Amino acid sequence: RKRGIYIWGLMLFGVLGEAVLAADFCLGEGPVTARLIVFSGQPAPIATVSDPEELTSLEVRLKGLPSTELPAKPPSRLDFGGITITSPVVICGSEESGVLHILNGIIKFRREDGSGPIYQDVHGLQSWLLEYLRWQDNSGQEFHAPKEWHTAN
């Protein structure tokens, strides 16, 4: 019986206390800012989510994310490097905060020191962010992401 409890605890909390089954992220107060990582030589387009319905829709996509590992060799795209939610998010029920980086079906929670667990984008967060947010470039012009960026590879 003790052995079963130990194995369950290891499955639940993994090495170094990282949750390995699933994660829920919570947004802080106020608007959320996201930045497109685009290798273009120009400043990165940004979007701000402040509408309560959009914030709720965003937060729903941050719940129940199963743990994963990075692919052995992530697909390379020279033009698109993902999306970073630059407003701090927290792992719900904890004080631990960081930023999220989303690319090709992977969501990485990044602490200040750069470390953090990795989760699957099972709710289409990348696609939703690209489709529904109003992205603006440095000059305030609207920026539309190419359709191929909307799907995970």
Side-chain angles (χ1 to χ4, degrees), residues 29-151:
E29 295 295 319
V32 171
T33 302
R35 179 177 310 276
L36 283 178
I37 309 302
V38 181
F39 303 110
S40 66
Q42 300 297 317
I46 61 168
T48 302
V49 183
S50 55
D51 177 74
E53 286 183 25
E54 285 184 339
L55 287 168
T56 299
S57 190
L58 173 58
E59 200 159 44
V60 164
R61 287 169 172 76
L62 296 173
K63 304 292 185 206
L65 300 173
S67 176
T68 191
E69 295 181 11
L70 282 176
K73 184 176 182 210
S76 104
R77 285 186 173 164
L78 294 176
D79 56 347
F80 179 59
I83 303 163
T84 299
I85 295 179
T86 57
S87 302
V89 297
V90 298
I91 296 176
C92 298
S94 80
E95 297 292 318
E96 192 169 15
S97 70
V99 297
L100 296 178
H101 184 74
I102 303 102
L103 177 63
N104 295 332
I106 301 291
I107 298 174
K108 168 130 171 113
F109 176 74
R110 196 171 59 227
R111 299 180 188 96
E112 197 171 298
D113 67 3
S115 69
I118 300 165
Y119 301 94
Q120 294 176 34
D121 181 5
V122 294
H123 304 301
L125 179 60
Q126 176 176 321
S127 181
W128 183 84
L129 288 168
L130 289 170
E131 188 170 336
Y132 291 104
L133 297 189
R134 186 170 176 260
W135 295 93
Q136 292 185 329
D137 66 16
N138 185 24
S139 66
Q141 297 295 313
E142 197 161 321
F143 176 87
H144 298 282
K147 283 291 182 194
E148 62 266 19
W149 291 6
H150 290 236
T151 58

